[in-house]
Amino acid sequence: MSEHNNDTDKGEKAEKSNEEATNSSSEQEEVEDSDMEKIRKYLAQKLRLVESSDYDEQSQQKVLREVSIDGIVDYIKQNENCKIVTMAGAGISTSAGIPDFRSPSSGLYHNLEKYNLPHPQAIFELDFFMENPEPFFTLAKELLPEGFKPTPCHYFIRLLWEKGLLLRHYTQNIDTLERMAGLPPEKLVEAHGTFYTGRCLKCRAPYMLSWMKEKIIEGLVPKCEECNEGVVKPDIVFFGEMLPDRFHFLADRDFAQADLLIIMGSSLVVQPFASLVDRVRPTCPRLLINKEKVGMQDRLSRLLGLRHGLIFDTRNSHGGRDVAWLGDCDTGCHLLAEKLGWGEELKDLVEKEHERLDSESASKD
Ligand code: CNA
């Protein structure tokens, strides 16, 4: 119980500082904005870059009562069959103990010196892996979903599914925590693949996580037992590899249908995942729950009136639909659940599932 109160307290504080942060747009920005708007309209008409009238009409529609987390909560409550798409990145798993890529000091990219790489991303590059798989498997030992438990944020996504509100969850994570949290495979798109399965790079023989894990924990590079030659690579998507067909197929359908997009724990820098945010309808609200603002529209897109990136504009002159809630993902999800009247349910679910996972791993030992 005390944990819950603490969380609510933290949530309220975070919400306050959040409001302060979003309300602090300067006067200079406003002047810039109106100039920008004139130039945008002019360019849009002259260059016919966008269907200006359509764009203006849709962007003027007020979709949220207020551009805040409360506005989002009202919107969900009013839309009984709200189709929600969630998008996630490494930030939803950091509280489980799995480091993300880009957080300063704790992120993986800051801790790769020991692997002597030509550059940090090489560890996830296919060409480098083919020549030298050891660094990847040394790192895999740290990243393996062993002893990690899904976070409240993962269980919040499961609750959305249980409530019949989740159209699909798109994750960049490879840690399998969504599966472990009980999200059914059909509701899940693992855009960057998963550690759950693997394949021999030579003969394509399939392997499961349990087999790969044994080798990796022993400090071995897993070698195929069918052809005795190829290295077994987990089915995670490396730089230079195609994203799964399922990603492209479902993204084409889901984003156009979504009534609400929730983005959590991602720096939104890896493409094509990051630009999924642009594929929802112009009237679809987008809520970002993250430690920092990310994925924002750049100045050129703004100038040209292109629908690229998130627009956190609390002045509401464009019928704003993008909300940034800045803070920890778990706190944000607890707060959202609380406001939706599911606070106790989320806490119970986390407690019950963590107990179950603890007793399962105790019985394995
Ligand atoms: P990233 O680029 O490391 O960004 C993480 C984002 O989450 C940053 O904006 C952080 O500020 C934010 N963040 C971190 N912790 C929290 C928290 N507790 N609450 C709120 N926000 C937080 O990671 P992305 O996912 O955007 O980058 C895509 C890469 C990371 C994908 O290719 C993944 O495969 C890869 N990755 C996955 C895992 C995993 O599976 N758990 C771990 C590390 C990297």
Short mmCIF file of all heavy atoms in Angstrom, two decimals, residues 224-279:
data_model
loop_
_atom_site.label_atom_id
_atom_site.label_comp_id
_atom_site.label_asym_id
_atom_site.label_seq_id
_atom_site.Cartn_x
_atom_site.Cartn_y
_atom_site.Cartn_z
N CYS A 224 25.98 -24.14 -34.40
CA CYS A 224 24.88 -25.01 -34.84
C CYS A 224 25.23 -26.49 -34.67
O CYS A 224 26.32 -26.93 -35.05
CB CYS A 224 24.58 -24.71 -36.30
SG CYS A 224 23.27 -25.72 -36.96
N GLU A 225 24.28 -27.24 -34.11
CA GLU A 225 24.50 -28.67 -33.90
C GLU A 225 24.04 -29.49 -35.10
O GLU A 225 24.24 -30.70 -35.14
CB GLU A 225 23.78 -29.13 -32.63
CG GLU A 225 24.44 -28.57 -31.38
CD GLU A 225 23.70 -28.88 -30.09
OE1 GLU A 225 22.55 -29.36 -30.17
OE2 GLU A 225 24.28 -28.63 -29.02
N GLU A 226 23.41 -28.81 -36.07
CA GLU A 226 22.98 -29.52 -37.29
C GLU A 226 24.13 -29.57 -38.29
O GLU A 226 24.52 -30.64 -38.76
CB GLU A 226 21.79 -28.79 -37.95
CG GLU A 226 20.56 -28.69 -37.09
CD GLU A 226 19.84 -30.02 -36.95
OE1 GLU A 226 19.83 -30.78 -37.92
OE2 GLU A 226 19.31 -30.29 -35.85
N CYS A 227 24.68 -28.39 -38.62
CA CYS A 227 25.73 -28.37 -39.65
C CYS A 227 27.13 -28.29 -39.04
O CYS A 227 28.12 -28.39 -39.75
CB CYS A 227 25.51 -27.19 -40.61
SG CYS A 227 25.75 -25.58 -39.86
N ASN A 228 27.16 -28.10 -37.72
CA ASN A 228 28.44 -27.99 -36.99
C ASN A 228 29.36 -26.89 -37.50
O ASN A 228 30.56 -26.94 -37.27
CB ASN A 228 29.20 -29.33 -37.03
CG ASN A 228 28.53 -30.35 -36.16
OD1 ASN A 228 28.08 -30.02 -35.06
ND2 ASN A 228 28.42 -31.57 -36.66
N GLU A 229 28.79 -25.92 -38.19
CA GLU A 229 29.65 -24.87 -38.75
C GLU A 229 29.17 -23.46 -38.38
O GLU A 229 29.93 -22.65 -37.89
CB GLU A 229 29.68 -24.97 -40.27
CG GLU A 229 30.70 -25.97 -40.79
CD GLU A 229 30.75 -25.93 -42.31
OE1 GLU A 229 30.91 -24.83 -42.87
OE2 GLU A 229 30.59 -27.01 -42.92
N GLY A 230 27.87 -23.24 -38.67
CA GLY A 230 27.36 -21.87 -38.53
C GLY A 230 27.21 -21.41 -37.09
O GLY A 230 27.04 -22.21 -36.17
N VAL A 231 27.28 -20.09 -36.93
CA VAL A 231 27.00 -19.48 -35.63
C VAL A 231 25.48 -19.31 -35.52
O VAL A 231 24.81 -18.96 -36.51
CB VAL A 231 27.69 -18.10 -35.52
CG1 VAL A 231 27.24 -17.34 -34.28
CG2 VAL A 231 29.20 -18.27 -35.53
N VAL A 232 24.92 -19.58 -34.33
CA VAL A 232 23.48 -19.37 -34.15
C VAL A 232 23.26 -17.95 -33.65
O VAL A 232 23.74 -17.56 -32.59
CB VAL A 232 22.89 -20.39 -33.16
CG1 VAL A 232 21.41 -20.12 -32.93
CG2 VAL A 232 23.10 -21.81 -33.68
N LYS A 233 22.54 -17.20 -34.45
CA LYS A 233 22.29 -15.79 -34.10
C LYS A 233 20.85 -15.64 -33.62
O LYS A 233 19.93 -16.12 -34.29
CB LYS A 233 22.52 -14.92 -35.35
CG LYS A 233 22.15 -13.47 -35.17
CD LYS A 233 22.30 -12.75 -36.50
CE LYS A 233 21.54 -11.45 -36.50
NZ LYS A 233 20.09 -11.61 -36.46
N PRO A 234 20.66 -15.02 -32.45
CA PRO A 234 19.28 -14.77 -32.01
C PRO A 234 18.54 -13.96 -33.09
O PRO A 234 19.16 -13.19 -33.82
CB PRO A 234 19.45 -13.94 -30.74
CG PRO A 234 20.85 -14.15 -30.30
CD PRO A 234 21.66 -14.46 -31.52
N ASP A 235 17.22 -14.16 -33.17
CA ASP A 235 16.43 -13.49 -34.21
C ASP A 235 16.22 -12.01 -33.91
O ASP A 235 15.09 -11.50 -34.02
CB ASP A 235 15.05 -14.17 -34.35
CG ASP A 235 15.18 -15.50 -35.07
OD1 ASP A 235 16.17 -15.69 -35.80
OD2 ASP A 235 14.28 -16.36 -34.88
N ILE A 236 17.25 -11.33 -33.51
CA ILE A 236 17.09 -9.89 -33.34
C ILE A 236 17.60 -9.21 -34.60
O ILE A 236 18.49 -9.74 -35.26
CB ILE A 236 17.80 -9.35 -32.06
CG1 ILE A 236 19.29 -9.56 -32.13
CG2 ILE A 236 17.25 -10.00 -30.82
CD1 ILE A 236 20.03 -8.95 -30.95
N VAL A 237 16.98 -8.09 -34.93
CA VAL A 237 17.31 -7.43 -36.19
C VAL A 237 18.55 -6.57 -35.98
O VAL A 237 18.55 -5.66 -35.15
CB VAL A 237 16.13 -6.55 -36.67
CG1 VAL A 237 16.47 -5.84 -37.97
CG2 VAL A 237 14.87 -7.40 -36.84
N PHE A 238 19.60 -6.89 -36.72
CA PHE A 238 20.82 -6.09 -36.65
C PHE A 238 20.73 -4.95 -37.66
O PHE A 238 19.93 -5.00 -38.59
CB PHE A 238 22.03 -6.98 -37.00
CG PHE A 238 22.57 -7.77 -35.85
CD1 PHE A 238 21.76 -8.17 -34.81
CD2 PHE A 238 23.92 -8.12 -35.79
CE1 PHE A 238 22.27 -8.90 -33.74
CE2 PHE A 238 24.43 -8.85 -34.73
CZ PHE A 238 23.61 -9.24 -33.70
N PHE A 239 21.60 -3.94 -37.46
CA PHE A 239 21.69 -2.89 -38.48
C PHE A 239 22.08 -3.60 -39.78
O PHE A 239 22.97 -4.46 -39.77
CB PHE A 239 22.74 -1.85 -38.10
CG PHE A 239 22.37 -1.06 -36.87
CD1 PHE A 239 23.10 -1.19 -35.69
CD2 PHE A 239 21.28 -0.19 -36.88
CE1 PHE A 239 22.75 -0.48 -34.56
CE2 PHE A 239 20.93 0.52 -35.74
CZ PHE A 239 21.66 0.38 -34.58
N GLY A 240 21.42 -3.25 -40.86
CA GLY A 240 21.74 -3.91 -42.13
C GLY A 240 20.81 -5.07 -42.42
O GLY A 240 20.95 -5.72 -43.45
N GLU A 241 19.87 -5.37 -41.54
CA GLU A 241 18.90 -6.43 -41.81
C GLU A 241 17.50 -5.83 -41.97
O GLU A 241 17.21 -4.76 -41.43
CB GLU A 241 18.86 -7.43 -40.64
CG GLU A 241 20.08 -8.32 -40.57
CD GLU A 241 19.90 -9.41 -39.50
OE1 GLU A 241 19.77 -9.06 -38.31
OE2 GLU A 241 19.89 -10.58 -39.87
N MET A 242 16.66 -6.59 -42.68
CA MET A 242 15.28 -6.13 -42.89
C MET A 242 14.47 -6.34 -41.63
O MET A 242 14.69 -7.31 -40.89
CB MET A 242 14.61 -6.96 -43.99
CG MET A 242 15.30 -6.92 -45.33
SD MET A 242 15.02 -5.35 -46.10
CE MET A 242 13.35 -5.61 -46.71
N LEU A 243 13.49 -5.48 -41.42
CA LEU A 243 12.54 -5.70 -40.32
C LEU A 243 11.58 -6.83 -40.71
O LEU A 243 11.38 -7.07 -41.90
CB LEU A 243 11.76 -4.41 -40.04
CG LEU A 243 12.34 -3.50 -38.94
CD1 LEU A 243 13.78 -3.15 -39.20
CD2 LEU A 243 11.51 -2.26 -38.77
N PRO A 244 11.00 -7.52 -39.72
CA PRO A 244 10.10 -8.63 -40.06
C PRO A 244 8.93 -8.18 -40.93
O PRO A 244 8.44 -7.06 -40.78
CB PRO A 244 9.57 -9.08 -38.68
CG PRO A 244 10.45 -8.45 -37.67
CD PRO A 244 11.12 -7.27 -38.28
N ASP A 245 8.48 -9.07 -41.82
CA ASP A 245 7.34 -8.75 -42.69
C ASP A 245 6.12 -8.36 -41.88
O ASP A 245 5.34 -7.50 -42.27
CB ASP A 245 6.96 -9.98 -43.55
CG ASP A 245 8.01 -10.23 -44.62
OD1 ASP A 245 8.84 -9.33 -44.86
OD2 ASP A 245 8.01 -11.35 -45.18
N ARG A 246 5.96 -9.04 -40.74
CA ARG A 246 4.81 -8.76 -39.87
C ARG A 246 4.74 -7.28 -39.49
O ARG A 246 3.66 -6.71 -39.37
CB ARG A 246 4.96 -9.64 -38.62
CG ARG A 246 3.88 -9.46 -37.58
CD ARG A 246 4.08 -10.43 -36.41
NE ARG A 246 3.29 -10.05 -35.26
CZ ARG A 246 1.98 -10.29 -35.17
NH1 ARG A 246 1.36 -10.93 -36.12
NH2 ARG A 246 1.32 -9.91 -34.09
N PHE A 247 5.90 -6.69 -39.27
CA PHE A 247 5.95 -5.27 -38.91
C PHE A 247 5.32 -4.43 -40.02
O PHE A 247 4.43 -3.62 -39.78
CB PHE A 247 7.40 -4.84 -38.67
CG PHE A 247 7.60 -3.35 -38.58
CD1 PHE A 247 7.39 -2.68 -37.39
CD2 PHE A 247 7.98 -2.60 -39.70
CE1 PHE A 247 7.56 -1.29 -37.30
CE2 PHE A 247 8.15 -1.23 -39.62
CZ PHE A 247 7.93 -0.57 -38.42
N HIS A 248 5.78 -4.64 -41.26
CA HIS A 248 5.29 -3.80 -42.37
C HIS A 248 3.82 -4.06 -42.64
O HIS A 248 3.04 -3.13 -42.81
CB HIS A 248 6.12 -4.10 -43.63
CG HIS A 248 7.55 -3.71 -43.47
ND1 HIS A 248 7.96 -2.40 -43.40
CD2 HIS A 248 8.68 -4.46 -43.33
CE1 HIS A 248 9.27 -2.36 -43.23
NE2 HIS A 248 9.73 -3.60 -43.18
N PHE A 249 3.45 -5.33 -42.61
CA PHE A 249 2.08 -5.71 -42.93
C PHE A 249 1.09 -5.09 -41.93
O PHE A 249 0.11 -4.46 -42.31
CB PHE A 249 1.98 -7.25 -42.94
CG PHE A 249 0.60 -7.76 -43.12
CD1 PHE A 249 -0.02 -7.67 -44.36
CD2 PHE A 249 -0.11 -8.31 -42.05
CE1 PHE A 249 -1.31 -8.12 -44.53
CE2 PHE A 249 -1.41 -8.76 -42.22
CZ PHE A 249 -2.01 -8.66 -43.46
N LEU A 250 1.40 -5.27 -40.65
CA LEU A 250 0.45 -4.78 -39.64
C LEU A 250 0.50 -3.26 -39.47
O LEU A 250 -0.53 -2.62 -39.24
CB LEU A 250 0.70 -5.47 -38.30
CG LEU A 250 0.24 -6.93 -38.26
CD1 LEU A 250 0.64 -7.59 -36.95
CD2 LEU A 250 -1.28 -7.04 -38.45
N ALA A 251 1.69 -2.68 -39.60
CA ALA A 251 1.79 -1.22 -39.43
C ALA A 251 0.91 -0.53 -40.48
O ALA A 251 0.26 0.48 -40.19
CB ALA A 251 3.24 -0.76 -39.54
N ASP A 252 0.89 -1.07 -41.69
CA ASP A 252 0.07 -0.47 -42.75
C ASP A 252 -1.41 -0.43 -42.36
O ASP A 252 -2.12 0.50 -42.70
CB ASP A 252 0.20 -1.30 -44.05
CG ASP A 252 1.50 -0.97 -44.78
OD1 ASP A 252 2.15 0.02 -44.41
OD2 ASP A 252 1.87 -1.74 -45.69
N ARG A 253 -1.84 -1.44 -41.64
CA ARG A 253 -3.26 -1.50 -41.25
C ARG A 253 -3.55 -0.75 -39.96
O ARG A 253 -4.50 0.01 -39.85
CB ARG A 253 -3.67 -2.96 -41.02
CG ARG A 253 -3.81 -3.71 -42.29
CD ARG A 253 -4.36 -5.09 -42.12
NE ARG A 253 -4.70 -5.51 -40.76
CZ ARG A 253 -4.93 -6.76 -40.43
NH1 ARG A 253 -4.89 -7.70 -41.33
NH2 ARG A 253 -5.24 -7.09 -39.19
N ASP A 254 -2.72 -1.01 -38.94
CA ASP A 254 -3.06 -0.57 -37.58
C ASP A 254 -3.04 0.95 -37.39
O ASP A 254 -3.94 1.51 -36.74
CB ASP A 254 -2.08 -1.18 -36.57
CG ASP A 254 -2.27 -2.68 -36.43
OD1 ASP A 254 -3.32 -3.18 -36.86
OD2 ASP A 254 -1.36 -3.34 -35.90
N PHE A 255 -2.01 1.59 -37.92
CA PHE A 255 -1.84 3.00 -37.57
C PHE A 255 -2.97 3.87 -38.15
O PHE A 255 -3.39 4.84 -37.53
CB PHE A 255 -0.43 3.50 -37.94
CG PHE A 255 0.58 3.03 -36.93
CD1 PHE A 255 1.05 1.73 -36.95
CD2 PHE A 255 0.99 3.86 -35.90
CE1 PHE A 255 1.94 1.26 -36.00
CE2 PHE A 255 1.89 3.42 -34.93
CZ PHE A 255 2.36 2.11 -34.97
N ALA A 256 -3.45 3.48 -39.32
CA ALA A 256 -4.53 4.25 -39.93
C ALA A 256 -5.84 4.09 -39.14
O ALA A 256 -6.73 4.94 -39.22
CB ALA A 256 -4.73 3.79 -41.36
N GLN A 257 -5.93 3.02 -38.37
CA GLN A 257 -7.18 2.74 -37.63
C GLN A 257 -7.15 3.25 -36.19
O GLN A 257 -8.17 3.29 -35.53
CB GLN A 257 -7.34 1.24 -37.48
CG GLN A 257 -7.83 0.49 -38.66
CD GLN A 257 -8.03 -0.97 -38.24
OE1 GLN A 257 -8.67 -1.26 -37.23
NE2 GLN A 257 -7.43 -1.86 -38.97
N ALA A 258 -5.95 3.57 -35.71
CA ALA A 258 -5.80 3.87 -34.27
C ALA A 258 -6.59 5.11 -33.86
O ALA A 258 -6.65 6.09 -34.58
CB ALA A 258 -4.33 4.06 -33.94
N ASP A 259 -7.17 5.03 -32.65
CA ASP A 259 -7.85 6.21 -32.08
C ASP A 259 -6.92 6.94 -31.11
O ASP A 259 -7.17 8.09 -30.75
CB ASP A 259 -9.10 5.78 -31.32
CG ASP A 259 -10.13 5.14 -32.22
OD1 ASP A 259 -10.34 5.67 -33.33
OD2 ASP A 259 -10.69 4.09 -31.86
N LEU A 260 -5.90 6.23 -30.63
CA LEU A 260 -4.96 6.84 -29.68
C LEU A 260 -3.62 6.12 -29.80
O LEU A 260 -3.57 4.89 -29.92
CB LEU A 260 -5.50 6.70 -28.25
CG LEU A 260 -4.57 7.11 -27.10
CD1 LEU A 260 -4.29 8.61 -27.13
CD2 LEU A 260 -5.20 6.74 -25.73
N LEU A 261 -2.55 6.92 -29.76
CA LEU A 261 -1.20 6.33 -29.81
C LEU A 261 -0.49 6.67 -28.50
O LEU A 261 -0.48 7.83 -28.08
CB LEU A 261 -0.44 6.93 -31.00
CG LEU A 261 1.00 6.45 -31.21
CD1 LEU A 261 1.03 4.96 -31.56
CD2 LEU A 261 1.67 7.25 -32.33
N ILE A 262 0.06 5.64 -27.85
CA ILE A 262 0.84 5.90 -26.63
C ILE A 262 2.27 5.43 -26.89
O ILE A 262 2.49 4.27 -27.26
CB ILE A 262 0.27 5.17 -25.40
CG1 ILE A 262 -1.22 5.51 -25.20
CG2 ILE A 262 1.06 5.53 -24.14
CD1 ILE A 262 -1.87 4.83 -23.98
N ILE A 263 3.23 6.34 -26.72
CA ILE A 263 4.64 6.03 -26.99
C ILE A 263 5.38 6.05 -25.65
O ILE A 263 5.28 7.03 -24.91
CB ILE A 263 5.26 7.10 -27.92
CG1 ILE A 263 4.40 7.28 -29.17
CG2 ILE A 263 6.71 6.75 -28.27
CD1 ILE A 263 4.22 8.71 -29.58
N MET A 264 6.13 4.99 -25.36
CA MET A 264 6.77 4.93 -24.04
C MET A 264 8.22 4.48 -24.13
O MET A 264 8.54 3.52 -24.83
CB MET A 264 6.01 3.93 -23.15
CG MET A 264 4.60 4.37 -22.86
SD MET A 264 3.66 3.18 -21.89
CE MET A 264 3.18 2.02 -23.11
N GLY A 265 9.10 5.20 -23.41
CA GLY A 265 10.48 4.76 -23.22
C GLY A 265 11.30 4.57 -24.48
O GLY A 265 12.07 3.63 -24.57
N SER A 266 11.15 5.50 -25.41
CA SER A 266 11.98 5.41 -26.62
C SER A 266 12.55 6.77 -26.96
O SER A 266 11.90 7.79 -26.77
CB SER A 266 11.15 4.90 -27.80
OG SER A 266 11.93 4.93 -28.98
N SER A 267 13.77 6.77 -27.51
CA SER A 267 14.36 8.04 -27.96
C SER A 267 13.83 8.39 -29.35
O SER A 267 14.13 9.47 -29.86
CB SER A 267 15.88 7.94 -27.98
OG SER A 267 16.28 6.87 -28.82
N LEU A 268 13.06 7.49 -29.96
CA LEU A 268 12.50 7.70 -31.30
C LEU A 268 13.55 8.18 -32.30
O LEU A 268 13.34 9.16 -33.00
CB LEU A 268 11.31 8.68 -31.25
CG LEU A 268 10.01 8.20 -30.64
CD1 LEU A 268 8.91 9.26 -30.77
CD2 LEU A 268 9.49 6.90 -31.28
N VAL A 269 14.68 7.49 -32.32
CA VAL A 269 15.69 7.85 -33.32
C VAL A 269 15.93 6.73 -34.33
O VAL A 269 16.52 6.98 -35.37
CB VAL A 269 17.05 8.27 -32.68
CG1 VAL A 269 16.91 9.51 -31.85
CG2 VAL A 269 17.68 7.14 -31.89
N VAL A 270 15.50 5.52 -34.01
CA VAL A 270 15.77 4.42 -34.94
C VAL A 270 14.62 4.32 -35.95
O VAL A 270 13.45 4.21 -35.58
CB VAL A 270 15.93 3.08 -34.17
CG1 VAL A 270 16.17 1.93 -35.14
CG2 VAL A 270 17.08 3.16 -33.19
N GLN A 271 14.99 4.37 -37.23
CA GLN A 271 13.99 4.28 -38.31
C GLN A 271 13.92 2.86 -38.85
O GLN A 271 14.90 2.13 -38.75
CB GLN A 271 14.38 5.25 -39.45
CG GLN A 271 14.32 6.70 -39.07
CD GLN A 271 12.92 7.22 -38.76
OE1 GLN A 271 11.93 6.49 -38.86
NE2 GLN A 271 12.83 8.48 -38.37
N PRO A 272 12.82 2.39 -39.38
CA PRO A 272 11.61 3.15 -39.66
C PRO A 272 10.65 3.24 -38.47
O PRO A 272 9.61 3.87 -38.56
CB PRO A 272 10.95 2.35 -40.78
CG PRO A 272 11.37 0.94 -40.54
CD PRO A 272 12.75 1.01 -39.94
N PHE A 273 11.03 2.61 -37.34
CA PHE A 273 10.14 2.58 -36.18
C PHE A 273 9.69 3.99 -35.77
O PHE A 273 8.49 4.24 -35.56
CB PHE A 273 10.83 1.88 -35.01
CG PHE A 273 9.91 1.52 -33.89
CD1 PHE A 273 9.28 0.28 -33.85
CD2 PHE A 273 9.65 2.42 -32.86
CE1 PHE A 273 8.41 -0.05 -32.81
CE2 PHE A 273 8.80 2.10 -31.83
CZ PHE A 273 8.18 0.85 -31.79
N ALA A 274 10.68 4.91 -35.69
CA ALA A 274 10.38 6.23 -35.15
C ALA A 274 9.28 6.95 -35.93
O ALA A 274 8.44 7.64 -35.34
CB ALA A 274 11.66 7.07 -35.13
N SER A 275 9.27 6.77 -37.25
CA SER A 275 8.31 7.54 -38.04
C SER A 275 6.92 6.90 -38.07
O SER A 275 6.01 7.44 -38.71
CB SER A 275 8.83 7.79 -39.46
OG SER A 275 9.18 6.58 -40.04
N LEU A 276 6.74 5.80 -37.33
CA LEU A 276 5.38 5.26 -37.20
C LEU A 276 4.45 6.31 -36.58
O LEU A 276 3.25 6.30 -36.83
CB LEU A 276 5.38 4.01 -36.30
CG LEU A 276 5.98 2.72 -36.87
CD1 LEU A 276 5.95 1.62 -35.81
CD2 LEU A 276 5.24 2.27 -38.12
N VAL A 277 5.02 7.18 -35.76
CA VAL A 277 4.16 8.20 -35.09
C VAL A 277 3.43 9.07 -36.11
O VAL A 277 2.40 9.66 -35.80
CB VAL A 277 4.96 9.10 -34.10
CG1 VAL A 277 5.64 8.28 -33.02
CG2 VAL A 277 5.94 10.01 -34.80
N ASP A 278 3.99 9.15 -37.32
CA ASP A 278 3.37 9.99 -38.36
C ASP A 278 2.26 9.28 -39.11
O ASP A 278 1.61 9.87 -39.96
CB ASP A 278 4.43 10.43 -39.39
CG ASP A 278 5.54 11.22 -38.75
OD1 ASP A 278 5.26 11.99 -37.82
OD2 ASP A 278 6.71 11.03 -39.15
N ARG A 279 2.08 8.00 -38.82
CA ARG A 279 1.16 7.22 -39.66
C ARG A 279 -0.26 7.13 -39.09
O ARG A 279 -1.12 6.52 -39.69
CB ARG A 279 1.75 5.84 -39.93
CG ARG A 279 2.99 6.03 -40.81
CD ARG A 279 3.75 4.76 -41.03
NE ARG A 279 3.02 3.80 -41.82
CZ ARG A 279 3.52 2.63 -42.20
NH1 ARG A 279 4.76 2.33 -41.88
NH2 ARG A 279 2.81 1.79 -42.90
#
